[in-house]
Amino acid sequence: MTQIPSSAPIIQLDNIGYQVRNDGQTLSILEHCQLHVEPGQSVAIVGRSGSGKSTLLAIMAGLEKPTQGRAFLLGQEISQLSEDECAKLRAQQVGFVFQNFQLLPSMTALENVLLPLELFQIEQAREKALAALDKVGLHQRAKHLPNQLSGGEQQRVAIARAFVTAPKVLFADEPTGNLDEQTAHQIQALLFELQQTQKTSLILVTHDMHYAHACDQVLQLQQGRLQPLKQTPTLGSGHVS
Amino acid sequence: MYRKARESLTAWRWFFRSLKQGDWLWLFIAIIIASLSVTSISYLGQSMKQSMLDKAAQNLGADLILRSSRPLEPRWQSLAQTLGLQTQNSLNTVTMALNPKFDTNFQLVNLRAVEQAEPLRGQIQPSPELPWQPLGADQVWIEPKLIEQLKLEAGGELLLGASQLKVIGSIQPSSLLNPMSQFAPQITMLLSDFAATQLLGPGSRITYELAVAGDPSALQRFRETLKRDAPNFVEVISAHAPSEDLGKTLDRAWLFLDLAALSAVFVAGLSILIASRFYLQRWHSTLALLRAFGGQDRALRRLFAWQFFWIGLSGSGLGVVLGWLVIQLLNPWLEQQFSPFVSAGFLLPMSLGLLSGLLVLWSFAWQAFQEAMATTPLQVLKNLQNKVPFYHWLISFALMLLMLSLIVQWHYLGWILLLGLLLSLVFYSSAAALLRLLKSVHPSSRGWLKISIAGILKQSPLIKIQLISIGLVLFVLMLMTFVRQDLLQAWQNSLPSQAPNTFILNVQPDQQDSVQNLLQSQKIVTAMVPMARGRLIERNQQPLLAEDFTEARAQRLLQREANIAVLAQLPEHNRILAQLPVEDYQGLGVSVEADIAALFGLQLGDQLLFDFAGQTRQYQVRSLRQVQWQSFELNFFFIVEPDSTQSLPISYISSFYQSSAVQRNALTQQLAQEAPGVLLVDVEQIIQQIRQIMDQASGAVSALFVFTLAASIAVLFSATLASQESRIQTWLLLRTLGASSRQIRWIGLTEFALIGLLAGILAASFAQLVSILIAYQLLDSAPHFSPMLWGSTLAISLLILLSVGWLSQKPFLRMSANQLKRHLKS
């Protein structure tokens, strides 16, 4: 696990651009994006479908490299890192939650939460996984398979899996997109609660403006550019331009 | 080290969890079948080979015999003894035996003088006709038929040359050892008594033998030295191939056994190919997630390689254990079939089974493994195609090669690979063509047929793999069924139940009528075939000299006289392979047996000069014939056309079936009285032994067929399950739109029937093609179009696919839209 200096921002994007070539034409997905996320801060990114939100998320998480500008994750410039070095950087410091939960159907809730712990060979994995499930209120359903759980419960398992390694930053891609309104609210509350108790930075991609406005910063991705919709300096020192 | 051990433990946990949920089930079953097949087939094959060799060795009385018409150099015996082998000298000669009580009762006998009474392998088989005692000085054992022929009694005496010897028992002589040469009944005496008979002298025809037995590796070394250094006049007779034709028959049986093992493993491999893709694809999103979580490439590869190792090890382990159980179940049957039964030992078959299970997994799942490992973390957010570099195909191929080399003999490997590659390519293009055909039919189809075809076309890459695997499985099954039948039929034909078991030789022209009358009086109808003893001496005016040939067989044939038939018409039981056009005919013609023609490089139209007891005759090669020596019909290397102008020194030969041993003996007596000099050779015992070996081989072939069948069913299930998800998606949509269970059932079954039909067409066409090739090349039977093969392949294909479809889809057909949706999510 790579340690970062405590003063370094969790994420920093400097003039990020991302172009792809399609049928001989260059298509610009992102242009001149700037972002600075401090530890413990929550940032929401909103935008229409196809606006490049997922690409931006991928660049922030070190899953994709920008074609222009510099992107820093946990103090390291990702363009300078190999795939494996990027992976090393993410190890136990980054968590993910997705719209479609991405649970392994043949494994129980507990076994799904155990996956990252076992991958990194963390001691007392079982106890930690059970504790994570307890935090999301699913201790009793630890032995249930995903298809025996409701959508909300499945997402809670995914959240437990994301938080079980106590990451420094959590990327959530439309985490409530597949859920009904009431369940969505419960999941949102759970995410914020865990983010705050574990002092995790949260990068949230969502369509839900109400949910987005609960974050410290709200940014809109429009025509490849990041535009601030809300900035709450009191909650953190993140800024956007 | 500790970290690696923990990694392997984690992998074990992941594998076990998936297995518990049924994730790896079909992959696991396929590995079990592969390893079970190799373990049991390898054990069966080895044990049967060993038992047959042992039987052959017992018949020979040794593992190996050196035979020569000149005394054998002592260095061979010294060499064998230095290598730790047991040896025994003996000699054989044909002489007259006389019962001194009746001065007129002479009988031609084969006198065998042995260093020790007991053979090196097997035991003396005393026959009950006379009280039996161990052989001592001035004593002999005789073959039972001599008792009647020489009117001998227990304790009676025999005159052999200058010696008078006491008869102290009768024994059944060995029969697999060059059966036709032992036409005279055998008398056994000690070698130390032979000199006193004074039968050894100028002009006496003596065959010297050195019997050798012992450890197989020492024997192999001895055999190699013999091959390198032994002079050409020394003939080596091995228990491995007591006779050339029997050797060929057994070779075919071994090849079939190897092919059965290979088919079972290959078919299991196909199941692994499909199942591994199917299961690993389910891991793609989790792998992407683990990478996004920071899992490093090498660590993930190790974790999944460990999982594969555990799957392979536990599957193969279970397969080996089941194989061992199968062996235990089969052992009583084997002990009944083979007497004595020699168990090959479990260690080698089990190691082979374990190794094959692991190798079959890696060679067939390598691509899917690499594809899964090529998952990028970005796939948590985007749908991307995993790309596998081309060289991984080569690795997969190399692993397959390694696996094949464990199962089949090296010299077949190249052919099997070439055939496998060609078949795969042709199967792939044929499957693609059939799918294109289906696509062209789609616009004009209606109703549930249209939806079924759309269901197939929607996932054409997967259906292509399904078609290839199901087609290949059916192809292998049908081919094995028909080849097995052909093989058994060919064996049965080659040795029918009433194969000639009695030969009459040396009938002089003036004896022909009396012998014919004698046979007719016993209701035996048979033709007397005229033949002359002759030697091939020239080909196209060029002398054929023994020293110009390297093959011992060619040298022997040029040095000895052969039986040459004199016939205007070729026998019906010979197959003509090539014929000279009538317009090229010159002079008299000869038909040559194909193997001999190949040995001497003889071509159609060649002029051959033969020496018949001093008379030379020229003949033109008119045809080449294929002969089944083991059929016991009268067969000849050369059949010459009769010459109306000059007669050859002819005698007659005949063969027929005589069921009763008593009548055969009576006939021997009558022949001795009415046609002196005529020889009757009884080969019933040899036929019985050969028939027993063939029965054993065919039993084994049938038993092994079951393994391929089991493997095939596993493939069919895994192939159907692989496309289940997409099928259920369609059903969910149809259910939501209000389709009834009946309609959905029809659509589902039509999809299966279509796949069955297409796979059936693929399988039948290839099975037909290859069965024609095999019939022609391997089984010496005429190739024929088989409507039965077509009908049964299509029917079986449809039936299997519909049953598998019905069984695997039944639970889903009963589900509501909501239940289907829930299942899809899992």
Side-chain angles (χ1 to χ4, degrees):
Chain A
M1 190 165 83
T2 311
Q3 293 298 328
I4 55 158
S6 57
S7 58
I10 293 290
I11 292 164
Q12 189 179 332
L13 303 182
D14 289 344
N15 202 24
I16 289 298
Y18 188 81
Q19 279 98 35
V20 286
R21 285 191 69 81
N22 194 8
D23 290 338
Q25 293 209 320
T26 305
L27 193 67
S28 189
I29 311 279
L30 299 174
E31 285 175 6
H32 310 295
C33 293
Q34 299 280 120
L35 179 67
H36 189 98
V37 182
E38 290 295 325
Q41 200 181 21
S42 59
V43 178
I45 296 165
V46 294
R48 289 162 63 175
S49 296
S51 59
K53 295 191 297 289
S54 295
T55 308
L56 185 66
L57 191 76
I59 291 172
M60 284 192 281
L63 306 177
E64 185 100 88
K65 287 174 182 168
T67 53
Q68 200 187 324
R70 299 164 79 194
F72 294 86
L73 172 67
L74 303 164
Q76 301 271 321
E77 190 186 343
I78 56 164
S79 304
Q80 305 294 319
L81 302 177
S82 67
E83 278 301 323
D84 250 14
E85 284 166 335
C86 275
K88 224 174 189 174
L89 181 65
R90 287 193 299 269
Q92 298 175 55
Q93 306 201 83
V94 173
F96 290 91
V97 176
F98 303 97
Q99 182 177 1
N100 57 1
F101 326 133
Q102 297 216 6
L103 300 178
L104 202 63
S106 57
M107 286 195 180
T108 62
L110 176 65
E111 289 163 353
N112 267 291
V113 179
L114 272 169
L115 270 179
L117 297 173
E118 290 177 333
L119 174 70
F120 299 119
Q121 298 187 20
I122 293 170
E123 299 290 340
Q124 295 177 308
R126 196 180 161 81
E127 290 74 14
K128 284 180 181 161
L130 280 170
L133 278 173
D134 199 28
K135 275 184 196 161
V136 298
L138 284 178
H139 192 273
Q140 299 302 318
R141 312 209 62 177
K143 289 188 176 166
H144 285 71
L145 288 170
N147 70 344
Q148 295 165 323
L149 302 171
S150 69
E153 285 171 328
Q154 289 188 51
Q155 191 58 298
R156 281 198 223 185
V157 176
I159 290 171
R161 181 181 62 189
F163 276 105
V164 76
T165 52
K168 290 199 164 59
V169 56
L170 179 82
F171 294 94
D173 187 11
E174 299 279 1
T176 54
N178 264 353
L179 305 171
D180 61 75
E181 200 178 338
Q182 198 186 346
T183 316
H185 282 310
Q186 288 170 359
I187 294 294
Q188 285 165 12
L190 179 67
L191 263 180
F192 279 123
E193 186 197 325
L194 287 169
Q195 180 244 332
Q196 276 159 19
T197 53
Q198 296 203 10
K199 296 192 173 46
T200 304
S201 302
L202 172 69
I203 310 294
L204 175 72
V205 170
T206 184
H207 285 292
D208 185 340
M209 287 309 283
H210 177 74
Y211 187 19
H213 277 282
C215 293
D216 301 337
Q217 289 187 65
V218 181
L219 306 161
Q220 187 175 29
L221 195 59
Q222 209 168 28
Q223 289 171 332
R225 288 170 185 259
L226 268 180
Q227 290 165 349
L229 288 183
K230 175 201 167 190
Q231 199 167 0
T232 318
T234 48
L235 287 173
S237 55
H239 68 269
V240 62
S241 58
Chain B
M1 190 67 195
Y2 172 68
R3 200 179 162 79
K4 296 272 164 60
R6 283 194 60 175
E7 243 171 23
S8 80
L9 257 173
T10 306
W12 168 259
R13 259 186 245 128
W14 289 9
F15 154 62
F16 189 69
R17 282 172 199 160
S18 303
L19 186 67
K20 214 167 56 184
Q21 300 301 332
D23 247 16
W24 299 108
L25 189 66
W26 288 102
L27 194 64
F28 200 57
I29 290 177
I31 300 167
I32 292 174
I33 290 174
S35 140
L36 163 70
S37 311
V38 173
T39 308
S40 358
I41 291 174
S42 155
Y43 173 82
L44 273 176
Q46 284 302 320
S47 301
M48 287 190 303
K49 266 187 205 179
Q50 206 53 55
S51 304
M52 288 185 192
L53 276 181
D54 220 56
K55 184 93 182 156
Q58 283 193 8
N59 277 308
L60 273 184
D63 291 326
L64 191 117
I65 286 179
L66 271 73
R67 183 190 281 170
S68 167
S69 53
R70 305 178 204 173
L72 284 159
E73 294 166 88
R75 64 172 170 137
W76 297 118
Q77 187 165 15
S78 316
L79 174 69
Q81 284 168 350
T82 317
L83 288 168
L85 298 165
Q86 293 172 273
T87 59
Q88 196 189 125
N89 280 297
S90 63
L91 55 82
N92 291 279
T93 186
V94 176
T95 184
M96 293 308 253
L98 173 73
N99 183 345
K101 274 193 182 172
F102 311 94
D103 267 0
T104 52
N105 227 346
F106 282 99
Q107 179 65 43
L108 193 72
V109 296
N110 175 26
L111 177 63
R112 180 169 170 77
V114 292
E115 207 173 344
Q116 297 137 25
E118 280 295 322
L120 296 180
R121 287 267 185 251
Q123 283 172 336
I124 292 290
Q125 302 281 321
S127 64
E129 286 84 350
L130 289 178
W132 188 85
Q133 286 173 40
L135 194 62
D138 299 325
Q139 293 174 338
V140 288
W141 286 328
I142 59 167
E143 198 175 324
K145 63 176 87 164
L146 271 174
I147 303 170
E148 185 65 30
Q149 287 166 0
L150 288 169
K151 297 195 168 47
L152 283 166
E153 291 157 5
E157 298 209 319
L158 265 182
L159 265 177
L160 282 167
S163 299
Q164 188 155 337
L165 302 146
K166 190 174 176 191
V167 178
I168 50 131
S170 64
I171 58 165
Q172 220 30 271
S174 82
S175 48
L176 274 184
L177 178 62
N178 203 3
M180 294 302 282
S181 71
Q182 293 180 0
F183 50 80
Q186 188 175 293
I187 292 179
T188 311
M189 67 187 294
L190 287 175
L191 193 57
S192 49
D193 291 340
F194 185 71
T197 61
Q198 295 176 15
L199 289 169
L200 183 64
S204 54
R205 286 192 64 171
I206 292 188
T207 313
Y208 298 85
E209 288 180 357
L210 175 70
V212 180
D215 173 59
S217 58
L219 269 172
Q220 188 54 34
R221 279 204 297 271
F222 186 60
R223 215 177 270 128
E224 278 160 15
T225 317
L226 280 173
K227 205 172 173 185
R228 204 175 51 237
D229 299 340
N232 294 323
F233 53 82
V234 175
E235 193 183 346
V236 179
I237 303 150
S238 165
H240 280 271
S243 83
E244 208 173 316
D245 303 305
L246 194 58
K248 266 189 190 172
T249 304
L250 291 182
D251 272 353
R252 275 180 208 157
W254 303 146
L255 177 64
F256 192 87
L257 295 192
D258 283 349
L259 285 180
L262 191 68
S263 311
V265 171
F266 182 70
V267 164
L270 280 178
S271 179
I272 289 168
L273 183 81
I274 298 169
S276 60
R277 290 182 79 84
F278 176 56
Y279 293 127
L280 281 170
Q281 262 167 10
R282 300 180 79 168
W283 272 89
H284 281 191
S285 56
T286 308
L287 265 163
L289 191 75
L290 292 175
R291 283 191 190 280
F293 274 144
Q296 283 184 291
D297 187 53
R298 284 168 74 178
L300 284 170
R301 274 179 188 274
R302 275 201 306 268
L303 265 170
F304 275 81
W306 269 115
Q307 275 203 79
F308 261 51
F309 172 77
W310 288 125
I311 299 166
L313 190 72
S314 45
S316 310
L318 201 56
V320 165
V321 171
L322 289 175
W324 183 80
L325 283 174
V326 168
I327 290 167
Q328 296 309 312
L329 282 174
L330 285 178
N331 260 341
W333 175 77
L334 289 168
E335 275 160 18
Q336 239 174 23
Q337 294 292 310
F338 296 88
S339 161
F341 174 66
V342 184
S343 166
F346 296 120
L347 196 65
L348 183 69
M350 282 179 164
S351 326
L352 273 181
L354 201 67
L355 209 57
S356 315
L358 288 168
L359 275 173
V360 75
L361 169 68
W362 277 110
S363 42
F364 282 90
W366 185 262
Q367 288 297 318
F369 180 80
Q370 293 304 334
E371 202 182 310
M373 289 303 123
T375 308
T376 65
L378 197 57
Q379 279 169 261
V380 290
L381 297 167
K382 295 178 179 175
N383 259 338
L384 298 169
Q385 204 68 35
N386 292 0
K387 286 195 180 96
V388 183
F390 179 75
Y391 68 85
H392 282 299
W393 281 108
L394 298 177
I395 297 178
S396 198
F397 191 70
L399 284 168
M400 226 175 276
L401 198 72
L402 192 64
M403 183 189 72
L404 284 177
S405 67
L406 288 181
I407 303 167
V408 287
Q409 293 163 29
W410 275 98
H411 55 276
Y412 291 124
L413 205 61
W415 285 109
I416 287 171
L417 272 180
L418 189 71
L419 197 73
L421 264 179
L422 271 176
L423 264 179
S424 317
L425 280 176
V426 177
F427 257 91
Y428 185 83
S429 1
S430 313
L434 282 172
L435 277 180
R436 266 201 301 278
L437 185 77
L438 204 63
K439 201 172 179 178
S440 67
V441 176
H442 187 226
S444 53
S445 59
R446 293 280 172 273
W448 42 261
L449 182 65
K450 195 178 180 79
I451 301 173
S452 307
I453 296 179
I456 292 175
L457 294 175
K458 193 171 80 179
Q459 35 177 353
S460 61
L462 181 62
I463 297 284
K464 230 179 270 172
I465 297 180
Q466 279 185 343
L467 276 186
I468 295 170
S469 356
I470 300 171
L472 264 174
V473 163
L474 285 168
F475 161 68
V476 169
L477 270 186
M478 297 320 285
L479 193 66
M480 279 189 71
T481 312
F482 281 84
V483 168
R484 184 180 144 271
Q485 267 173 15
D486 272 6
L487 193 70
L488 299 184
Q489 195 65 48
W491 286 344
Q492 219 160 37
N493 288 347
S494 72
L495 201 57
S497 58
Q498 300 216 334
N501 61 358
T502 317
F503 288 78
I504 290 184
L505 295 93
N506 209 26
V507 180
Q508 297 308 311
D510 58 338
Q511 294 172 314
Q512 194 192 354
D513 289 340
S514 58
V515 172
Q516 198 68 277
N517 290 339
L518 186 63
L519 293 178
Q520 270 167 11
S521 71
Q522 296 220 0
K523 297 199 174 77
I524 296 165
V525 182
T526 179
M528 306 290 282
V529 178
M531 52 150 270
R533 303 273 298 165
R535 198 159 59 88
L536 176 63
I537 51 172
E538 270 184 30
R539 174 200 174 201
N540 297 334
Q541 285 77 49
Q542 293 295 314
L544 283 167
L545 301 171
E547 52 266 35
D548 293 341
F549 289 87
T550 48
E551 297 89 348
R553 189 171 179 224
Q555 291 171 342
R556 277 200 308 277
L557 287 165
L558 289 174
Q559 284 164 340
R560 287 180 186 173
E561 285 185 329
N563 290 336
I564 298 174
V566 187
L567 290 169
Q569 290 284 318
L570 297 179
E572 277 177 15
H573 56 265
N574 284 186
R575 192 168 140 216
I576 310 295
L577 298 179
Q579 223 161 356
L580 190 72
V582 181
E583 55 270 24
D584 296 338
Y585 279 16
Q586 281 173 15
L588 293 166
V590 58
S591 172
V592 186
E593 192 262 338
D595 283 349
I596 288 293
L599 189 67
F600 293 118
L602 305 180
Q603 307 281 336
L604 287 177
D606 279 358
Q607 293 289 338
L608 304 183
L609 190 69
F610 289 91
D611 179 347
F612 294 98
Q615 293 182 42
T616 55
R617 295 287 175 86
Q618 185 142 311
Y619 295 92
Q620 183 190 33
V621 179
R622 295 266 170 84
S623 65
L624 300 177
R625 285 168 299 124
Q626 196 168 47
V627 165
Q628 288 195 328
W629 296 102
Q630 73 202 24
S631 69
F632 285 88
E633 296 281 354
L634 283 178
N635 279 312
F636 302 89
F637 290 136
F638 301 102
I639 299 177
V640 298
E641 208 179 330
D643 183 0
S644 51
T645 53
Q646 279 179 303
S647 61
L648 286 168
I650 272 175
S651 69
Y652 290 85
I653 183 169
S654 186
S655 71
F656 51 87
Y657 175 73
Q658 174 63 274
S659 59
S660 145
V662 179
Q663 282 180 348
R664 283 199 299 273
N665 277 343
L667 192 62
T668 312
Q669 286 296 309
Q670 283 174 307
L671 277 173
Q673 283 161 12
E674 292 177 30
V678 170
L679 296 170
L680 185 135
V681 183
D682 178 356
V683 291
E684 180 60 26
Q685 205 198 344
I686 304 160
I687 289 185
Q688 284 309 327
Q689 279 172 349
I690 291 177
R691 191 169 280 143
Q692 200 187 352
I693 291 173
M694 284 184 172
D695 284 350
Q696 288 164 352
S698 58
V701 163
S702 305
L704 296 180
F705 183 66
V706 177
F707 290 102
T708 317
L709 202 67
S712 308
I713 291 168
V715 174
L716 292 173
F717 266 96
S718 54
T720 339
L721 287 175
S723 56
Q724 186 147 288
E725 208 156 293
S726 149
R727 207 170 292 125
I728 296 171
Q729 265 169 0
T730 312
W731 293 350
L732 173 64
L733 186 70
L734 291 168
R735 268 260 193 273
T736 321
L737 292 174
S740 68
S741 288
R742 200 179 134 85
Q743 282 168 319
I744 291 179
R745 200 158 38 236
W746 266 112
I747 292 165
L749 290 180
T750 309
E751 205 177 312
F752 280 109
L754 278 172
I755 298 175
L757 192 72
L758 295 182
I761 293 173
L762 263 185
S765 16
F766 286 98
Q768 175 69 73
L769 200 72
V770 177
S771 79
I772 288 176
L773 282 175
I774 288 186
Y776 195 72
Q777 291 291 329
L778 274 178
L779 302 176
D780 306 336
S781 57
H784 52 91
F785 172 78
S786 171
M788 175 77 180
L789 185 143
W790 277 86
S792 48
T793 310
L794 285 177
I796 289 172
S797 172
L798 273 173
L799 198 73
I800 291 180
L801 258 290
L802 284 175
S803 327
V804 169
W806 177 251
L807 282 173
S808 59
Q809 317 300 313
K810 205 171 150 191
F812 304 109
L813 288 169
R814 289 196 188 127
M815 286 184 187
S816 66
N818 220 17
Q819 283 170 315
L820 281 173
K821 196 173 164 189
R822 193 170 272 269
H823 180 84
L824 268 181
K825 277 185 185 169
S826 64

